Amino acid sequence: MADNVPATKPYRDDADWWKSTTVYQIYPRSFCDSNGDGIGDIPGIVSKLDYLADLGIGVIWLSPVYASPMEDNGYDISDYRDIAPEFGTLADMDRLIAEAGKRGIGIVMDLVVNHTSDRHEWFEASRASRDNPKRDFYVWRDPAPDGGPPNDLPSYFAGSAWAFDEATGQYYMHLFAPGQPDLNWDNPQLRAEIYDMMNWWLDRGVAGFRMDVIDLIGKQPDRLIRNNGPKLHDYLQEMHREALAGRNVLTVGESWEATPETGLLFSGRDRDELSMVFQFQHVTSLWGEDGNKWRPRPFDLVTFKRALNEWQRALAEDGWNSLFVSNHDLPRAVSRYGDDRRHWRESATAIATVNHLMRGTPYVFQGEEIGMTNAGFTQIDQYRDVETLNFHAEHEAAGYDLAAFLDGAAANGRDNARTPVQWTAAKNSGFTDGIPWIGVNPNHDRINVDNQIGDEHSVLAHYRRLIGLRKTHPVVVHGDYVPCLEDNPQIFAFTRNLGNRRLAVVVNFSSEPARCDIPAGLETSGVCAISNYAPRDTIAGTLGLAPWEAFAVLSETRGQDPSSGSKSTGTDTAQR
Ligand code: GLC
Ligand code: CA
């Protein structure tokens, strides 16, 4: 199968190329609308490829563009080998792959194979009769003796994970919406169909897959097991053999329950599974009691650092981290972790500095690079997201406090990430000439790409510099990671070390000035690699930091002054 890989590969040839790249996530519905129907589309993405190339990214992770009834904005797929008409055509997709490839950018597809849409032909066959050959592609069970659902398994989108099908008198399982029936991975024909489809996309030239809720595919519904089922890793290894081996592509699995212990199972060198996983411990450790995302706790730096540092430690020798602070399911990073009012620019750039300089592959979610903020929705009718709407209805039915729920949704709801990208200050932020499918953030008059594109002090320029640093300094990619000041409640600091090269990173992760005594392990003197205030080249003594001040110093251990050596040691990036 590897013979079929097109001659002009849109991604790089060297092994582990995905360690040194930066990935940009596009949520197509909200990115750029080319035809005025209010919905972002593939031609809209093509029109922005020069912007993305200029930012320096090497890969686009494209949230689903497949045919779909859009109950969950494309995470409910009705045909894996076609494109949703609102997003374009297969020809548009081929053009995107080719045009991105010309700019050295690979396209990573979202692979949603824990479930399909209930309009997928497999499910239509499966529900047609109990003896249909595709019946077993999904998970069907008899009702409980009282006629109710077979057991208490809950859906992630509120309510039971079981829906009753009148026609055949059984329940089918849906860990998400009823329109997203779960596939039965224990069926070998189903698995073969999926590998076949993956090969079809890889042969079209895509550079890999982001695998949606991949840790659910080993589910054991009768034992109430959703994540990390006993066969999960067997299936991933089989998938690797059947579709990925020899392809040299980027694969990243979404796993809300992955721990530093299980992280290596997914991404260990000799495991032959995935390049890396998205883990969420830095996200969920800040949720409320019992993991209630609608009652998030105030941000706490020590908790946040502990989660990230543990992962850095666990994958120090083997495996690989993915680095992200936002995506289409999370609030905007500058609103969740930063201070989007008093220190908007400083906190957006400080958070990015940490995220891009840890060890792993960084991901940028559309709009993050200009510091887009939460949506600011206050009414339920402003929301479009099935998860938010379902939980709102559940709270309403139970007579719970709806004002408190709306506060939770404003802080943590998924639509915060899904308002249109703010390209300009014009009406509808230059996203569409029509009526956008979801409200545009009114702050687009202030926060937009146009404003920042020529401004060297902008959030955008800072992201460009961070992405550039990774390309010029191997220590950013390959250096080891040593956390510093782990218990300090204001400062996020670490060093990266490779041979005699060293990068020391210090960030005041708070809105107050900070002072601290620099421990011996962090002391550095060299050249400033990046900063969001005035450049600094020394970390020593008692250091005073301005709110959200962030900088990194590049040095050579064993005496030599890096600024006297080659020109590529970092002064370039400080002045760009
Ligand atoms: C993942 C996706 C999310 C989707 C869910 C079901 O968590 O990121 O957007 O709703 O899976 O596919
Ligand atoms: Ca459109």
Side-chain angles (χ1 to χ4, degrees):
M1 58 183 94
D3 307 345
N4 295 337
V5 175
T8 50
K9 276 196 284 186
Y11 45 90
R12 294 167 38 186
D13 243 343
D14 43 318
D16 296 357
W17 61 273
W18 39 265
K19 289 186 177 173
S20 52
T21 196
T22 300
V23 184
Y24 186 92
Q25 182 193 352
I26 291 184
Y27 194 69
R29 209 176 177 77
S30 307
F31 188 69
C32 179
D33 174 22
S34 71
N35 63 351
D37 67 354
I39 299 173
D41 46 50
I42 296 172
I45 299 172
V46 173
S47 75
K48 299 295 185 187
L49 285 173
D50 287 335
Y51 166 76
L52 296 175
D54 189 49
L55 185 57
I57 58 127
V59 169
I60 292 170
W61 151 27
L62 193 58
S63 275
V65 290
Y66 313 88
S68 162
M70 300 285 165
E71 201 176 321
D72 188 14
N73 293 348
Y75 284 91
D76 47 327
I77 295 170
S78 54
D79 187 347
Y80 290 105
R81 299 180 195 222
D82 203 357
I83 302 295
E86 51 268 71
F87 291 150
T89 61
L90 265 180
D92 289 329
M93 190 63 213
D94 287 341
R95 195 159 72 88
L96 173 60
I97 294 169
E99 288 296 321
K102 284 185 199 159
R103 293 162 177 84
I105 297 173
I107 302 288
V108 162
M109 295 294 274
D110 213 313
L111 186 75
V112 188
V113 290
N114 173 65
H115 45 268
T116 66
S117 161
D118 61 351
R119 297 320 149 71
H120 194 287
E121 64 178 19
W122 295 341
F123 190 71
E124 287 177 345
S126 183
R127 79 180 333 171
S129 70
R130 288 201 192 197
D131 56 9
N132 187 284
K134 295 248 165 23
R135 183 71 168 180
D136 191 46
F137 270 31
Y138 293 83
V139 184
W140 293 94
R141 294 289 184 273
D142 285 331
D146 68 355
N151 62 32
D152 291 340
L153 200 69
S155 155
Y156 290 105
F157 284 170
S160 168
W162 298 100
F164 189 62
D165 179 61
E166 295 283 347
T168 57
Q170 283 189 313
Y171 282 84
Y172 68 86
M173 179 181 155
H174 60 89
L175 287 176
F176 295 91
Q180 294 168 296
D182 271 67
L183 287 165
N184 174 21
W185 273 72
D186 294 337
N187 183 305
Q189 277 136 24
L190 180 262
R191 300 202 302 275
E193 290 271 7
I194 288 173
Y195 307 147
D196 202 44
M197 175 271 287
M198 291 172 69
N199 279 305
W200 187 83
W201 277 107
L202 289 164
D203 291 345
R204 270 196 128 78
V206 304
F209 296 104
R210 174 268 184 183
M211 301 184 186
D212 192 62
V213 290
I214 201 65
D215 62 351
L216 301 182
I217 64 173
K219 62 216 153 203
Q220 295 280 304
D222 304 312
R223 294 160 60 194
L224 302 177
I225 295 176
R226 299 192 294 184
N227 301 86
N228 296 320
K231 292 267 181 70
L232 168 63
H233 293 285
D234 293 345
Y235 295 155
L236 286 174
Q237 284 170 7
E238 182 185 70
M239 174 192 282
H240 188 274
R241 280 196 305 276
E242 298 297 323
L244 304 169
R247 299 275 200 178
N248 196 15
V249 292
L250 182 160
T251 53
V252 51
E254 183 199 25
S255 173
W256 284 79
E257 307 282 323
T259 62
E261 293 69 48
T262 62
L264 272 178
L265 297 178
F266 291 98
S267 69
R269 200 179 293 122
D270 300 325
R271 297 281 303 169
D272 285 339
E273 295 192 17
L274 304 175
S275 315
M276 58 194 124
V277 276
F278 288 130
Q279 62 84 19
F280 289 86
Q281 293 197 319
H282 59 302
V283 173
T284 54
S285 60
L286 294 164
W287 285 2
E289 265 169 58
D290 302 325
N292 185 346
K293 72 179 270 184
W294 310 108
R295 295 275 171 121
R297 290 191 280 139
F299 179 71
D300 171 59
L301 180 64
V302 174
T303 306
F304 184 71
K305 283 194 290 189
R306 190 177 304 131
L308 292 171
N309 287 341
E310 269 181 27
W311 272 85
Q312 290 286 323
R313 282 198 186 92
L315 304 190
E317 305 292 329
D318 190 13
W320 192 248
N321 269 294
S322 66
L323 308 171
F324 69 97
V325 287
S326 58
N327 68 28
H328 66 296
D329 294 328
L330 302 175
R332 287 289 178 178
V334 67
S335 300
R336 178 59 175 129
Y337 306 120
D339 182 341
D340 62 8
R341 295 184 183 184
R342 286 188 299 151
H343 300 283
W344 165 75
R345 186 192 71 86
E346 292 75 13
S347 61
T349 48
I351 295 163
T353 303
V354 166
N355 195 52
H356 284 251
L357 298 182
M358 287 186 292
R359 182 177 159 93
T361 300
Y363 290 73
V364 178
F365 177 65
Q366 64 183 35
E368 181 191 320
E369 78 279 15
I370 56 164
M372 277 180 63
T373 66
N374 276 353
F377 293 162
T378 54
Q379 311 285 328
I380 192 63
D381 64 8
Q382 294 176 290
Y383 288 93
R384 301 286 175 270
D385 170 28
V386 57
E387 181 193 47
T388 307
L389 297 176
N390 281 5
F391 276 100
H392 184 266
E394 190 183 74
H395 278 64
E396 191 165 32
Y400 294 156
D401 180 353
L402 288 179
F405 177 82
L406 284 174
D407 285 347
N412 230 1
R414 306 196 301 178
D415 280 341
N416 284 307
R418 300 176 182 184
T419 62
V421 169
Q422 296 166 200
W423 296 105
T424 70
K427 183 156 184 265
N428 294 326
S429 73
F431 161 72
T432 182
D433 295 334
I435 301 167
W437 70 276
I438 189 171
V440 176
N441 194 315
N443 68 17
H444 72 270
D445 61 348
R446 208 163 34 86
I447 300 175
N448 62 60
V449 171
D450 244 15
N451 266 347
Q452 297 188 27
I453 206 112
D455 175 1
E456 283 305 295
H457 295 288
S458 63
V459 179
L460 181 61
H462 195 86
Y463 268 82
R464 203 185 290 125
R465 282 192 288 266
L466 283 169
I467 293 168
L469 270 184
R470 171 168 305 267
K471 296 182 185 171
T472 40
H473 297 294
V475 65
V476 176
V477 179
H478 300 289
D480 68 4
Y481 175 95
V482 183
C484 308
L485 300 168
E486 289 184 75
D487 297 321
N488 188 301
Q490 276 181 290
I491 296 174
F492 202 137
F494 53 87
T495 65
R496 304 287 311 279
N497 307 278
L498 183 69
N500 64 348
R501 284 296 166 122
R502 171 184 157 105
L503 184 75
V505 180
V506 176
V507 176
N508 177 1
F509 221 93
S510 84
S511 295
E512 313 305 324
R515 273 196 98 67
C516 92
D517 294 327
I518 296 302
L522 187 54
E523 271 178 18
T524 312
S525 168
V527 296
C528 186
I530 191 152
S531 65
N532 65 352
Y533 280 77
R536 292 192 190 239
D537 54 20
T538 306
I539 306 171
T542 302
L543 205 64
L545 296 164
W548 296 102
E549 179 166 1
F551 64 97
V553 174
L554 197 65
S555 63
E556 269 177 41
T557 47
R558 297 201 269 288
Q560 208 191 314
D561 171 8
S563 55
S564 66
S566 80
K567 258 222 125 263
S568 67
T569 34
T571 39
D572 49 346
T573 49
Q575 265 117 50
R576 252 181 63 179

